[in-house]
Amino acid sequence: MPSARMTLARAVAGVPEARRFLAGLLARWGLEALRPALELATSELVTNAVTHGRGPIEVDVACEDGAVRVGVTDHGGGRPVIRPTDTSGEVGGWGLRLVARVADEWGTDVSGGRTTVWLRLASPPPDRSHATGMRTS
């Protein structure tokens, strides 16, 4: 089972850094078809860790049983939840909803003051045109 880990400073610059890390791994593993969905979801998870967490951020990526698992860990200790739909026009709050739409599974683990939000996406990905509003033919 190939896997890799990267540690990022808790800064917005970590978001594109995490995407580049992920893209390189997927190319090496021959899983480029998963790249758009995983980059989007990983960007959301790292952004949440920057916004709501504390301390450095760890990004763990593993290819296991025909799927890719991405975990993003921070030292915040909180348990993220999908917020109810906000129609007031407030910005934000859509990241976990998006992760839930593109991932086959996702969840959170909180232990020892650390929060990990993870997602799993099977390879090859099923048709996800319903999640993006795009149609394929």
Side-chain angles (χ1 to χ4, degrees):
M1 164 176 73
S3 64
R5 172 179 288 166
M6 117 180 285
T7 301
L8 303 165
R10 195 173 65 86
V12 174
V15 177
E17 208 174 323
R19 281 195 304 264
R20 285 189 296 274
F21 172 68
L22 179 66
L25 292 172
L26 294 175
R28 189 174 337 140
W29 298 339
L31 296 171
E32 291 93 341
L34 298 177
R35 183 176 171 180
L38 285 174
E39 278 188 342
L40 180 62
T42 300
S43 293
E44 292 296 334
L45 296 183
V46 173
T47 298
N48 282 353
V50 168
T51 304
H52 304 291
R54 291 191 310 267
I57 297 167
E58 294 173 2
V59 179
D60 291 288
V61 185
C63 182
E64 53 189 27
D65 299 326
V68 175
R69 184 183 190 281
V70 177
V72 176
T73 303
D74 65 59
H75 298 267
R79 184 170 299 277
V81 295
I82 294 177
R83 291 190 212 167
T85 303
D86 182 355
T87 58
S88 70
E90 183 178 326
V91 176
W94 294 95
L96 288 179
R97 189 178 312 279
L98 184 126
V99 169
R101 292 286 288 187
V102 301
D104 293 322
E105 307 178 71
W106 76 280
T108 61
D109 299 314
V110 179
S111 177
R114 294 167 42 107
T115 300
T116 300
V117 183
W118 57 269
L119 67 100
R120 183 178 176 280
L121 184 60
S123 173
D127 176 11
R128 298 204 181 276
S129 60
H130 66 279
T132 63
M134 295 180 0
R135 296 192 183 271
T136 58
S137 38

